[in-house]
Amino acid sequence: MTQPLSLTLLNNNWSEEPFPPVELAWEEPNGLLAVGGDLSIKRLLNAYRNGIFPWFGPREPIYWWSPSPRTVLFPQHIRITRSLRKSLRNKGYRITFDTCFSEVVQACAAPRSYTSGTWITNEMHTAYCRLHAADVAHSVEVWNPAGELVGGLYGVSVGGIFSGESMFSREPDTSKIAMVALAYHLQRWGFRVIDCQIENPHLMSMGAENIPREDYLALLRANAQHQPPREWATDTQMDLSRWEPLTS
């Protein structure tokens, strides 16, 4: 006899409320674990520290997820193609961290060619800006020679894990350039892995892979005490077009 699925309803007024064990997450839709609650700093940090993240659309309640398998990218495994190296070398892009976090989130929320919707609601935007103000969420920005913001990404730093949330590109390869810059600096700073959450072709083409949820949770636990840098700043001496991740 099949046991009926249950979905935990979180208390909107209890930000310290424990999440249910991730082993209770649904298989279909993959990883759905709980609904409700709020997007306070306390609850979001508790979620990420336990391998859980929010994902919901406009006019929907807050849904919380912990999928298995989990898509991750080990910085030393990032794939840098010849054409991407050419863009890094010849296009004159400048890369920064944390100079315009809110603008990066807003750019990530903009309509894409394949859809007019977005899961980055105003509520999510505000919540992650609060995380940024608390030095937990960070952004990578890519600027063209004209000084225009043309690519980037943002995510959440928890111990030695960086949980990527979204990326955008206004010129060819610029979201990939942001990911290469992130991978280089995270490897340099001793981070273990970039959490990509859910598989997509763009990330898989850059070297992301799927691992069992229990393996991801083990990485979280093993790297929980890692201390990130106080200031996220680019290494201006490094030519990323020449970076060989596996030999760093």
Side-chain angles (χ1 to χ4, degrees):
M1 182 176 179
T2 302
Q3 184 175 358
L5 293 172
S6 62
L7 189 62
T8 299
L9 177 62
L10 300 176
N11 186 335
N12 293 0
N13 300 313
W14 185 17
S15 294
E16 297 85 358
E17 179 181 12
F19 282 92
V22 295
E23 291 76 16
L24 297 180
W26 293 8
E27 293 184 7
E28 184 60 40
N30 181 14
L32 182 58
L33 179 66
V35 62
D38 60 7
L39 294 176
S40 65
I41 290 177
K42 287 183 179 180
R43 195 184 300 266
L44 285 169
L45 282 177
N46 186 26
Y48 283 100
R49 287 167 179 161
N50 287 282
I52 302 164
F53 59 88
W55 185 29
F56 60 99
R59 296 175 295 280
E60 289 183 343
I62 301 172
Y63 290 112
W64 300 89
W65 305 77
S66 185
S68 187
R70 189 79 166 219
T71 304
V72 301
L73 175 59
F74 294 94
Q76 69 272 24
H77 293 165
I78 192 167
R79 187 176 298 127
I80 309 175
T81 63
R82 182 177 300 177
S83 63
L84 182 53
R85 290 188 186 277
K86 186 175 180 180
S87 293
L88 282 161
R89 183 171 58 250
N90 298 332
K91 296 294 181 67
Y93 291 119
R94 181 172 62 91
I95 300 163
T96 58
F97 283 98
D98 291 340
T99 64
C100 55
F101 183 90
S102 179
E103 289 85 344
V104 169
V105 179
Q106 185 174 0
C108 289
R112 310 295 173 102
S113 59
Y114 50 85
T115 179
S116 59
T118 180
W119 59 270
I120 305 175
T121 63
N122 290 336
E123 186 181 9
M124 289 282 273
H125 188 164
T126 299
Y128 283 83
C129 284
R130 287 197 297 263
L131 285 179
H132 175 63
D135 293 326
V136 176
H138 299 276
S139 60
V140 184
E141 303 95 23
V142 180
W143 309 84
N144 67 14
E148 299 167 322
L149 180 64
V150 292
L153 60 84
Y154 75 97
V156 177
S157 170
V158 177
I161 311 296
F162 185 89
S163 291
E165 285 298 314
S166 188
M167 56 176 56
F168 77 98
S169 183
R170 292 172 177 163
E171 292 183 4
D173 285 340
T174 51
S175 64
K176 291 183 177 181
I177 287 172
M179 182 63 86
V180 170
L182 177 69
Y184 166 75
H185 287 87
L186 292 183
Q187 187 179 47
R188 182 168 172 257
W189 297 333
F191 278 73
R192 185 71 178 88
V193 72
I194 301 169
D195 170 28
C196 302
Q197 299 177 346
I198 299 172
E199 175 181 345
N200 70 48
H202 182 73
L203 293 168
M204 302 306 278
S205 73
M206 295 199 72
E209 59 191 271
N210 289 324
I211 63 174
R213 179 172 53 218
E214 54 267 28
D215 290 357
Y216 176 69
L217 295 175
L219 284 169
L220 269 176
R221 291 190 295 268
N223 294 276
Q225 302 307 313
H226 177 76
Q227 294 296 317
R230 293 180 62 87
E231 180 182 358
W232 290 48
T234 52
D235 176 4
T236 57
Q237 302 303 311
M238 180 61 189
D239 179 356
L240 288 174
S241 71
R242 296 178 178 273
W243 178 43
E244 298 292 342
L246 282 172
T247 61
S248 296

